């Protein structure tokens, strides 16, 4: 879940199609040496500045931790947001992002419609020809030959 020097915009692209609670920690763009926690929440991606106290402990709100690992573990069962109940959940390692080379118009029930340039999260790709993917709230099968790996 640690992505290092990834921009806020790239963090949003990466998390936008993920499940609620999907997250990553990155180096803060606005204050080098600090970290930001980017989390998929209802309606988009929220960014939280990871704060440090004079003793070097990490925190988001009140509870303080000796490491980023401890902060992440705590927020798997305690909400990171004060406005919504959002707990951290790992992104599924088998998932990956692809970008559409062409428009795809479904011919059958259960196929995923997309346009050239769209970013799709691949959920399952055991069949070499037809993959299962998600785009926002839509999920369905699509031809593997219509996409290429997405690079941020």
């Amino acid at each position: 879940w640690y992505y290092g020097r990834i921009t806020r915009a790239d963090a949003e692209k990466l998390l936008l199609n993920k499940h609620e609670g999907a997250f990553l920690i990155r180096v803060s763009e606005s204050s080098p040496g600090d970290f930001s926690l980017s989390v998929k929440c209802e309606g988009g991606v929220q960014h939280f500045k990871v704060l440090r106290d004079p003793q070097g402990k990490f925190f988001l709100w009140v509870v303080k931790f000796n490491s980023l690992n401890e902060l992440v573990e705590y927020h798997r069962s305690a909400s990171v947001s004060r406005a919504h109940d959002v707990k951290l959940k790992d992104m599924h390692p088998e998932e990956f992002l692809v970008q559409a080379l062409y428009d795809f118009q479904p011919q059958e029930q259960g196929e995923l419609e997309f346009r050239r340039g769209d970013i799709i999260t691949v959920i399952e790709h055991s069949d070499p020809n037809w993959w299962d993917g998600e785009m926002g709230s839509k999920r369905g099968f699509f031809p593997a030959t219509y996409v290429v790996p997405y690079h941020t």
Side-chain angles (χ1 to χ4, degrees):
W1 42 255
Y2 180 72
Y3 276 68
R5 293 192 181 285
I6 179 176
T7 66
R8 179 185 177 109
D10 281 345
E12 287 179 5
K13 277 186 213 160
L14 191 65
L15 292 168
L16 211 52
N17 291 331
K18 300 284 186 240
H19 53 275
E20 182 167 290
F23 72 99
L24 59 86
I25 289 187
R26 58 190 173 78
V27 173
S28 171
E29 286 179 285
S30 53
S31 56
D34 289 337
F35 300 98
S36 295
L37 170 65
S38 301
V39 185
K40 171 67 191 281
C41 298
E42 189 180 315
V45 176
Q46 282 192 347
H47 305 276
F48 300 90
K49 185 174 173 82
V50 178
L51 304 168
R52 310 240 356 226
D53 71 7
Q55 288 73 47
K57 293 190 183 286
F58 298 93
F59 65 102
L60 295 178
W61 303 105
V62 178
V63 185
K64 297 184 177 183
F65 307 92
N66 292 316
S67 69
L68 287 173
N69 284 337
E70 288 178 22
L71 181 143
V72 165
E73 284 310 309
Y74 174 81
H75 285 290
R76 289 181 190 282
S77 57
S79 182
V80 293
S81 170
R82 293 217 154 153
H84 305 285
D85 184 25
V86 180
K87 297 176 180 77
L88 301 182
K89 296 184 190 88
D90 289 321
M91 284 188 262
H92 304 298
E94 68 277 5
E95 290 181 359
F96 62 94
L97 298 178
V98 293
Q99 188 164 25
L101 290 169
Y102 320 102
D103 292 355
F104 177 65
Q105 198 64 44
Q107 305 298 311
E108 310 224 353
Q109 188 78 26
E111 293 179 350
L112 182 67
E113 179 178 348
F114 53 80
R115 301 267 165 259
R116 181 175 188 259
D118 283 348
I119 308 297
I120 303 159
T121 302
V122 176
I123 307 298
E124 209 272 324
H125 57 96
S126 58
D127 183 301
N129 303 311
W130 287 87
W131 291 353
D132 185 6
E134 270 182 348
M135 243 177 45
S137 61
K138 298 186 302 183
R139 181 171 176 172
F141 293 96
F142 63 93
T145 54
Y146 276 52
V147 300
V148 291
Y150 176 70
H151 300 291
T152 54

